[in-house]
Amino acid sequence: MLRPKIPTMPTPTGLVAPTGLVTPPAVVQPTAVEPMQSSPAPVAQRPTVQITPGTALAVIGAGTAVVLVVGTVLVSMLLATAVTAASVAVCALVVRSLLVSPAKRPRHRR
């Protein structure tokens, strides 16, 4: 049958190797940290946006158009849901009356 191959992990330094030998850990030499003398970076000036009365009017008009379109779509979806619910309710009443009415009808004797 097929036998899986188990990968072998390399042992980190300072641990016991599979052979039983202990390897010494690596020695880390501390270094001195010297503060760097630097001047603060200059702040970049952002370009200013000039809003003219025509631009403001265009933005207001576009916002109003978006609100009207989204509102119309939402109201039409709500109206479609209401019409569907009403028609399903009427169908349920008709089916119920058709199923119940034969039991309530008086039988004619001849």
Side-chain angles (χ1 to χ4, degrees):
M1 296 300 278
L2 300 174
R3 293 187 182 204
K5 293 181 180 179
I6 301 173
T8 57
M9 297 282 295
T11 58
T13 58
L15 297 177
V16 178
T19 58
L21 300 174
V22 178
T23 57
V27 178
V28 178
Q29 297 291 336
T31 58
V33 177
E34 296 178 11
M36 236 175 95
Q37 298 294 331
S38 64
S39 62
V43 178
Q45 294 291 329
R46 292 183 181 176
T48 57
V49 178
Q50 298 292 330
I51 298 178
T52 62
T55 306
L57 192 61
V59 169
I60 291 172
T64 304
V66 168
V67 167
L68 289 176
V69 168
V70 170
T72 303
V73 169
L74 291 178
V75 167
S76 64
M77 288 172 60
L78 181 63
L79 183 63
T81 304
V83 168
T84 304
S87 65
V88 168
V90 169
C91 289
L93 287 175
V94 169
V95 169
R96 180 177 163 209
S97 68
L98 287 176
L99 292 176
V100 173
S101 62
K104 291 187 176 179
R105 286 187 191 152
R107 294 187 181 193
H108 297 289
R109 293 186 186 173
R110 288 186 183 187

